[in-house]
Every structure is written in structure tokens, then in C-alpha cells.
Amino acid sequence: MPLSPALTAALADIDTVFNGFASPGETGCERCFGPAETAFLRTPYTRVPGELVSRFVFKDPTHFEDYAAVLRRLLPQTARAMAEGGLDGIGWGAHGLSRTDWRSWPTDQAAAIEAFLHAWWQDALTTPESPYGIQDVFETCATIARSVTPFLDGWAQGPVADAHLAHCADHWLYYLVSDSSPFTWWYDDTEDTGVADLCAWLAGPGSARLRTHGHPDLAARAELLALPYDERWAHPYWTSPSATN
């Protein structure tokens, strides 16, 4: 399926802003990468094999001398692979951008990444069968941005986006009603805020939208998130769900 104009433009901006980057002094981890593989990171304007891009992007930063430089070197290929479904690792681990302070990079670089995340998310929301699971796209965006708020507030309208919301809500509520985190690879100290913000949104705008679009049971469960833990589990919903919908 063709990429949206906004995502196409965001990828073009990534290509322009990060064109020609390299990590000149990079030696990498000799146990994980061979000399020929690490040499790609030191060499600009050379295409890195796709499988190697994934290995670099999802490797722990401690395996590199300058991980920020590595990510800049890889970003044009990384972003395009994310958009086209070719980055192995989405849905399995922490993306490299979630483990570096990319917002401290020069303004044009940070802005290009921000624009790409939003365009990728909107493209996924309007695609019936995204290359990745929709909750995996959400978690990747949220962990890179270190916030769920812009992606919840920017949830598109329409039948496809509404179906994605129902799918995500069902997945998230399984964890959230027990005060557990649904995020499998959010490792920094912003995760608690992300979980709290997700609960607040689901209990309010999210539940209203679910109810409007024919998902009363999901809406009822989402509304329970507004209650303290003990009250949540003592609610009549659990014994008579149909009566509370």
C-alpha cells in the first residue's frame, strides 16, 4: 500500500537532514560485529544491508563508542524500513532512538525525527493491515518520544482508526485493570507517567469514543480505570457486565 503524502515528505526530510552522516571513530563490539560490518558505520553514503541495520538499531548502546552518531548514520535507512515494514525488531525490543537523547540534537534533526514519528503513526492508523501490529507502532512511537500524549491526542477519526483503537484498548486493558504496564520495552523513568496518561485518556476520551463506535464492553472496562484499585474490582461490572454497559 502506498505511503501517505505526509509520511513520504517526512522520509524525504530525514534523507536530507541525515544525508552523509557517519561515526568516523566507531569500533563497535568485536564480539557482536565483524570488522566489515562496523566499517559501514564509519563510511557515509554507503547502503547498509537491511539485516545489519536492524541489528545495529536494536543493540544495546553500550556496544558502541558513539551510539548517537551510529543512529544518525543509520536514520535514513532506519526510518524508511520502519515505514515500509522492513525493520526486524519492531514489536520485540527497545528502538535505539528510545535510548538516546535525540531531542538534544540540532533543531533540524530533532524536528525531522518528531515529524517522522507523527507521520508514521498517522499512516499506520489509516492502514487496515499495518506491516507491524498497531500497538507495536504505538509503543515504538511513545517510547521514542517518551510520551503517549501526542499519539493519543492525534488518534485519527474513521473506521480503520476506530478498529485500531478497539484492538489497542483490548490489549491495553488486559494489563491496566490490574495496574500493570502494557508496555513491554519502555525501560526509562518516564514509563510510569506514560501508563498514568494512557489510563486517564482511556477512562475519558477513549471510553467515550469506544462507546460511540459500538464497543460498550471495552468502554465500560476503560471507565473502570478512573476508580481506585479496590473499587475497580468491586464494581458491578464484573458480575453483571451487560447491566453496566
Side-chain angles (χ1 to χ4, degrees):
M1 187 171 181
L3 304 180
S4 68
L7 182 53
T8 299
L11 288 170
D13 195 31
I14 290 278
D15 287 342
T16 298
V17 171
F18 292 97
N19 182 45
F21 275 80
S23 183
E26 188 58 58
T27 58
C29 174
E30 294 179 358
R31 292 185 178 183
C32 300
F33 306 105
E37 293 174 323
T38 306
F40 280 109
L41 301 176
R42 300 191 297 270
T43 310
Y45 305 112
T46 303
R47 184 166 182 80
V48 182
E51 179 271 339
L52 186 55
V53 171
S54 296
R55 286 172 57 204
F56 283 143
V57 169
F58 289 98
K59 200 69 177 176
D60 188 278
T62 59
H63 289 258
F64 302 92
E65 296 294 323
D66 187 344
Y67 195 53
V70 167
L71 293 177
R72 289 187 182 98
R73 163 69 179 93
L74 299 171
L75 254 168
Q77 282 186 245
T78 300
R80 185 159 295 278
M82 292 165 70
E84 296 177 349
L87 188 67
D88 293 338
I90 296 291
W92 296 99
H95 191 289
L97 285 174
S98 72
R99 299 190 283 189
T100 191
D101 187 16
W102 58 270
R103 292 188 189 280
S104 69
W105 297 359
T107 302
D108 62 334
Q109 296 176 22
I113 293 170
E114 189 96 48
F116 166 74
L117 291 177
H118 288 280
W120 183 43
W121 173 237
Q122 291 300 319
D123 188 81
L125 280 178
T126 54
T127 301
E129 295 186 11
S130 172
Y132 307 106
I134 193 66
Q135 73 270 17
D136 293 329
V137 177
F138 180 90
E139 184 167 355
T140 301
C141 289
T143 54
I144 290 173
R146 295 180 174 83
S147 174
V148 300
T149 302
F151 308 105
L152 294 173
D153 289 348
W155 205 296
Q157 299 288 333
V160 174
D162 293 336
H164 284 322
L165 175 58
H167 177 85
C168 285
D170 191 40
H171 172 79
W172 291 332
L173 287 166
Y174 177 84
Y175 299 92
L176 295 175
V177 293
S178 297
D179 281 351
S180 298
S181 172
F183 302 123
T184 53
W185 59 85
W186 194 333
Y187 297 132
D188 66 29
D189 58 5
T190 60
E191 180 178 2
D192 288 346
T193 299
V195 171
D197 289 344
L198 177 58
C199 286
W201 187 85
L202 279 172
S207 63
R209 184 163 167 178
L210 287 165
R211 195 175 295 281
T212 297
H213 293 290
H215 301 284
D217 186 71
L218 286 175
R221 279 191 279 152
E223 289 163 356
L224 294 176
L225 298 177
L227 302 175
Y229 185 87
D230 289 343
E231 292 181 31
R232 185 185 311 159
W233 286 103
H235 194 276
Y237 167 82
W238 302 110
T239 54
S240 303
S242 61
T244 59
N245 288 346

